[in-house]
Amino acid sequence: MEEEVEFGTLVPREDSRGAAELKVLLAASGLDLEPGIQVFVVGRAGARLVACAGLTEGVVKCVAIDAEHRGANLALRLMNELVHLALERGQAHLFLYTKPSNAALFRGCGFHELVEVPGQACLMENTPVGIRAYCDSLRLLKREGGAVVVNANPFTLGHLHLVRQALQNCDWLHVFVVGEDASAIAYEDRLDLVRQGLGGLERLTVHEGSRYLISKATFPSYFIKDACAVEACSTAMDLLMFRQYLAPALGITHRFVGTEPFCGLTRKYNEDMHRWLEAEEGPGPAIRVVEVPRLEVAGRPVSASEVRRLLALGDFEAMASLVPATTLARLRIKYAPCT
């Protein structure tokens, strides 16, 4: 039956009938149609939808094949069509999240495992050398010491305080700026503000964002039904990637993080850091997690969310006590609310 399947593309937001067909096919495989997928490659046997694979910014999602048409050949054809579509869209490097039980199927389609959260999710990429090449580039900057990972949305005096405290407790500090451009402040600005804000400090390296720092914006939820499990799995995968690949390549032995008095999700992330990075058993050497008390101004911990609230109000006077002068100037020029 596989030779009767013809392939095409489908954009869910532009084709409500096609989106309804996708939901039916995915539901039969125990999957949900994840919102926001840009385009699907779809296979039809006559008028019937029998195969689909979604693509969003180089991440493969929502792959399903009708039970009557399943087979290694159709899966391979489907993924080949998706790879060709991605290339046409300028996306040669692809990532794929799936259940660990499906990893063998995707290995047969040219994907390679990166990291697995046991029993929950597996991350794969469509090249055997991607992570190796990235780690090779990191080794050129290897200096044993600690690490800080920041979103810096935007960069605050709290971030500066965290870095200064970390430098007091390690010989060298690696500062990673999360690269996913899904924040209020554009990535290029966040990276520039971190570099400017840390410009006077020695013994540190600022690293640009990488797709190997797992983003909650790209982590899928369509095959994990429990919302809490999605959050926990995303966190675990992010930390395991860091422990298995990035930390050994750079000689990182400690990871520094600010305490979290406000956000329950971030506080849980800190707890999960201890679990996944400090455990004796795990991929790569264990990493000690050091929580640094938040900087306080006028009796309140400094937070980027408070800065964003003040930015929405255009209250730069109140903001001035929470951010470096470089951050304040950039926000005034590029992010002041229209009046």
Side-chain angles (χ1 to χ4, degrees):
M1 297 181 67
E2 293 179 5
E3 66 276 6
E4 300 174 1
V5 177
E6 295 185 357
F7 291 95
T9 60
L10 190 159
V11 179
R13 69 176 181 275
E14 298 176 358
D15 185 346
S16 57
R17 180 176 178 180
E21 291 180 287
L22 286 170
K23 289 180 181 179
V24 172
L25 176 62
L26 290 165
S29 296
L31 306 175
D32 295 327
L33 175 58
E34 183 162 302
I37 294 181
Q38 295 168 341
V39 63
F40 275 85
V41 167
V42 293
R44 294 185 181 275
R48 183 184 174 195
L49 183 66
V50 297
C52 69
L55 180 68
T56 296
E57 301 299 338
V59 179
V60 180
K61 298 182 178 183
C62 290
V63 179
I65 297 176
D66 177 75
E68 296 179 7
H69 293 76
R70 286 174 188 165
N73 289 337
L74 182 55
L76 182 58
R77 289 176 61 200
L78 175 65
M79 296 309 294
N80 282 341
E81 291 286 338
L82 186 76
V83 169
H84 290 152
L85 175 64
L87 287 172
E88 291 175 358
R89 299 166 72 94
Q91 300 169 7
H93 189 189
L94 301 180
F95 290 87
L96 181 150
Y97 298 90
T98 188
K99 297 176 182 178
S101 58
N102 293 332
L105 172 66
F106 291 110
R107 279 199 300 271
C109 298
F111 283 78
H112 303 265
E113 285 131 310
L114 288 170
V115 69
E116 177 183 331
V117 180
Q120 296 186 65
C122 176
L123 173 63
M124 311 181 78
E125 64 178 342
N126 68 331
T127 170
V129 298
I131 188 63
R132 188 187 316 159
Y134 178 62
C135 288
D136 285 345
S137 71
L138 292 181
R139 288 188 187 94
L140 298 175
L141 303 171
K142 185 173 183 178
R143 301 290 291 267
E144 290 193 3
V148 167
V149 179
V150 296
N151 194 30
N153 184 33
F155 185 75
T156 70
L157 291 175
H159 295 113
L160 181 58
H161 172 76
L162 172 62
V163 169
R164 283 174 169 164
Q165 293 299 306
L167 282 170
Q168 291 182 13
N169 292 278
C170 62
D171 294 329
W172 197 269
L173 186 67
H174 297 275
V175 180
F176 292 87
V177 184
V178 175
E180 181 66 25
D181 218 344
S183 302
I185 310 302
Y187 169 67
E188 62 179 11
D189 289 324
R190 291 189 287 111
L191 178 62
D192 195 32
L193 289 175
V194 171
R195 285 174 168 162
Q196 290 181 9
L198 302 180
L201 300 179
E202 299 179 346
R203 297 185 293 110
L204 63 77
T205 304
V206 176
H207 296 271
E208 294 187 13
S210 159
R211 296 179 73 194
Y212 293 107
L213 285 172
I214 307 301
S215 166
K216 290 180 174 59
T218 59
F219 187 81
S221 59
Y222 59 89
F223 62 83
I224 303 176
K225 303 301 182 182
D226 185 333
C228 292
V230 171
E231 186 75 25
C233 190
S234 171
T235 296
M237 191 163 283
D238 173 38
L239 296 172
L240 290 173
M241 281 288 296
F242 184 86
R243 175 173 176 170
Q244 183 171 347
Y245 298 108
L246 280 66
L250 288 167
I252 293 168
T253 57
H254 293 67
R255 182 155 163 178
F256 297 87
V257 61
T259 54
E260 180 48 66
F262 300 120
C263 177
L265 290 177
T266 304
R267 189 160 54 249
K268 178 64 166 56
Y269 187 90
N270 288 359
E271 294 171 0
D272 287 344
M273 268 200 231
H274 290 281
R275 173 187 175 188
W276 293 105
L277 296 183
E278 294 183 333
E280 291 187 9
E281 295 184 2
I287 300 168
R288 183 186 171 195
V289 177
V290 181
E291 294 194 52
V292 176
R294 285 271 192 127
L295 175 70
E296 293 190 357
V297 171
R300 289 182 56 80
V302 175
S303 74
S305 59
E306 174 63 9
V307 174
R308 293 194 301 273
R309 186 187 73 82
L310 294 172
L311 178 60
L313 297 173
D315 191 346
F316 292 97
E317 183 177 350
M319 206 185 304
S321 64
L322 305 179
V323 299
T326 48
T327 296
L328 189 65
R330 182 69 58 92
L331 295 181
R332 280 184 183 276
I333 294 170
K334 293 191 64 174
Y335 295 93
C338 296
T339 56

